Amino acid sequence: MTFQLVEHPLVQHYLTRLRDRDTPPDQFREFSDRIITLLLYEATRDLRSRIFPIQTPLEETDGHTIADRVVAVPILRAGLGLLGPVLELLPEVTVGYIGLERDERTAVASRYYVKLPPDIRGKTVMILDPMLATGGTARKAVEILKEYQPASVRLVCVVAAPEGIAALEEAYPDVMVFAAARDRQLNGQKYIMPGLGDYGDRLFGT
């Protein structure tokens, strides 16, 4: 598995704002959009492009367009907060949704909702889930998506715990993970430390 820690100063700036417990929901959503936009630059760096001729006001030159087709799959519900920048930046992106519920005792995730585009085969799938904690949810999401034979699967998250990284790498070594932080550990309740709290609650003010 490729784990890429995005250490850009702007990423760290917005990550700090997300970690701050005093950041209100409206600002949390704003900073979430900004950090995901920055993470997307790295997560899409290897997408293939197609060259074609265009006419500038002065002469003809080569233009570029994204050739790889991307399917964005937010994990409900917190992953919805990561979707906006993807829709704004990526051309012709399609969107699927996966709802997973984690057993708090076993950390095993089970599906309660799956709605995916019919044409995932051969495409680049980008899972959107802000927290990689135990890895149970990520592993289940990848398992579901692998059934559709995508060209590649990558996960975009804000913070990741070493336990989740290891679990995902063991199960799916071909998955790429892009994160703003590799945090210290999980605590006894499986929360990421130092973390930033419940992403969904802070995003939606619940």
Side-chain angles (χ1 to χ4, degrees), residues 28-84:
F28 192 92
R29 288 190 289 271
E30 177 186 348
F31 299 144
S32 177
D33 280 355
R34 292 183 182 182
I35 201 169
I36 294 306
T37 299
L38 294 168
L39 292 175
L40 281 173
Y41 290 150
E42 294 303 322
T44 58
R45 183 179 292 276
D46 64 340
L47 293 183
R48 295 171 299 175
S49 62
R50 178 175 59 83
I51 300 174
F52 65 101
I54 63 168
Q55 187 70 44
T56 78
L58 300 176
E59 64 178 8
E60 185 176 281
T61 188
D62 287 339
H64 299 259
T65 187
I66 298 296
D68 287 332
R69 291 295 170 252
V70 177
V71 180
V73 182
I75 305 301
L76 303 176
R77 73 178 164 142
L80 291 174
L82 282 57
L83 183 58

Side-chain angles (χ1 to χ4, degrees), residues 68-130:
D68 287 332
R69 291 295 170 252
V70 177
V71 180
V73 182
I75 305 301
L76 303 176
R77 73 178 164 142
L80 291 174
L82 282 57
L83 183 58
V86 178
L87 296 177
E88 291 179 2
L89 288 175
L90 294 180
E92 299 182 37
V93 63
T94 54
V95 181
Y97 300 90
I98 294 179
L100 298 171
E101 187 172 30
R102 192 181 73 173
D103 186 301
E104 296 300 328
R105 182 178 56 85
T106 64
V108 175
S110 59
R111 71 175 82 182
Y112 66 85
Y113 182 78
V114 176
K115 182 69 172 179
L116 298 171
D119 56 348
I120 291 179
R121 183 185 179 98
K123 292 188 175 182
T124 298
V125 172
M126 189 172 296
I127 300 172
L128 307 175
D129 195 7

Side-chain angles (χ1 to χ4, degrees), residues 166-182:
L168 189 57
E169 183 172 24
E170 178 184 12
Y172 297 104
D174 60 326
V175 171
M176 294 177 281
V177 178
F178 299 85
R182 178 188 178 114

Side-chain angles (χ1 to χ4, degrees), residues 1-18:
M1 181 189 76
T2 301
F3 178 81
Q4 183 163 339
L5 184 63
V6 182
E7 298 182 289
H8 193 284
L10 284 173
V11 172
Q12 299 308 308
H13 172 84
Y14 291 117
L15 175 63
T16 298
R17 301 308 187 271
L18 292 175

Side-chain angles (χ1 to χ4, degrees), residues 156-200:
V156 177
C157 59
V158 178
V159 295
E163 296 89 335
I165 296 170
L168 189 57
E169 183 172 24
E170 178 184 12
Y172 297 104
D174 60 326
V175 171
M176 294 177 281
V177 178
F178 299 85
R182 178 188 178 114
D183 276 6
R184 186 177 70 251
Q185 66 186 64
L186 299 177
N187 67 10
Q189 288 74 46
K190 308 298 185 185
Y191 287 111
I192 301 175
M193 303 296 289
L196 41 74
D198 187 299
Y199 206 95

